[in-house]
Amino acid sequence: MTYVECAGGQDRHTTTSETHPEIPPSRTENCYTTGGEANFDWELCGTSGDRACLGRGGKNVCIPDNQGGYCKHGDNYYEARGSDFVSLSPSDLLDRYSSEGNTDETGREVNRALNDQERRFTNRIRELQIMGKDPIVQRSSFKKEDDKEVHNFIGDMLFNVGIGISFVIFLISVCIILIQNKII
């Protein structure tokens, strides 16, 4: 797999979705317009056709941040809102870097890492199952064997008790017959 870098230094394979090619990376989504000339296109990412900050300096001036990124062209700063680019004031830039609101990207990165790890574990388990070395202990199979042992033990015990009771009843009936015949 080749490393394709979108505007703002975003890796196309880890920050974008091939199944949703119209959705830009979250850290540079404000470098692209929606419905305007600077739409995001997954296939153009990393090429000279990348339309980030189109008309505002091109893809090389896209600066990623947790708020969606912005375009820096000379001493001016721009952010895409809808189909147009809007100029950002110095106070807007300061608000972007305040401590508030920067946890969203961290949560997204953690979720991606957890999903990636879960996918790796699932793939490894499937590989082992294919090779016949199932790492997942099947409790039901052990339980059935234990159940058979318990059932066999109980069955044997009931059989022996039944034989014993039958023998005792036989002895009592023999005694009763002998007493009636006055042999004993």
Side-chain angles (χ1 to χ4, degrees):
M1 178 184 306
T2 60
Y3 179 77
V4 179
E5 195 173 272
C6 298
Q10 303 297 298
D11 178 24
R12 178 172 72 179
H13 295 288
T14 59
T15 61
T16 64
S17 170
E18 190 172 1
T19 58
H20 300 288
E22 72 283 352
I23 300 174
S26 61
R27 293 179 51 87
T28 58
E29 64 189 349
N30 293 334
C31 294
Y32 299 94
T33 60
T34 53
E37 295 178 344
N39 284 341
F40 178 77
D41 186 350
W42 189 85
E43 292 190 17
L44 295 177
C45 206
T47 67
S48 60
D50 194 341
R51 296 182 284 230
C53 300
L54 188 66
R56 301 290 186 271
K59 70 175 187 141
N60 297 327
V61 299
C62 180
I63 299 174
D65 68 6
N66 292 340
Q67 305 300 318
Y70 56 91
C71 302
K72 180 184 179 195
H73 183 56
D75 291 334
N76 298 319
Y77 299 92
Y78 300 95
E79 174 183 66
R81 292 190 188 153
S83 61
D84 295 323
F85 283 98
V86 177
S87 182
L88 294 174
S89 67
S91 63
D92 290 336
L93 285 173
L94 289 174
D95 289 343
R96 295 175 88 76
Y97 291 105
S98 67
S99 61
E100 300 174 31
N102 288 335
T103 58
D104 185 40
E105 184 64 26
T106 303
R108 198 175 295 139
E109 288 174 2
V110 168
N111 285 339
R112 277 192 186 128
L114 287 173
N115 288 338
D116 193 40
Q117 190 64 31
E118 181 180 3
R119 180 184 47 80
R120 283 191 198 125
F121 280 137
T122 302
N123 288 346
R124 182 65 179 147
I125 288 170
R126 299 265 159 67
E127 287 174 8
L128 290 171
Q129 287 172 338
I130 289 169
M131 292 188 300
K133 302 174 185 175
D134 193 358
I136 300 174
V137 176
Q138 300 292 331
R139 291 180 179 234
S140 60
S141 64
F142 291 122
K143 190 174 183 181
K144 288 179 182 174
E145 291 174 12
D146 291 343
D147 284 348
K148 286 179 184 177
E149 290 177 19
V150 169
H151 287 185
N152 287 340
F153 174 74
I154 291 174
D156 290 344
M157 185 176 69
L158 289 175
F159 178 76
N160 291 336
V161 167
I163 295 290
I165 289 173
S166 299
F167 184 71
V168 168
I169 290 174
F170 175 73
L171 286 179
I172 291 174
S173 63
V174 168
C175 288
I176 290 175
I177 291 176
L178 291 176
I179 290 177
Q180 283 177 352
N181 292 336
K182 296 185 184 184
I183 297 179
I184 300 184

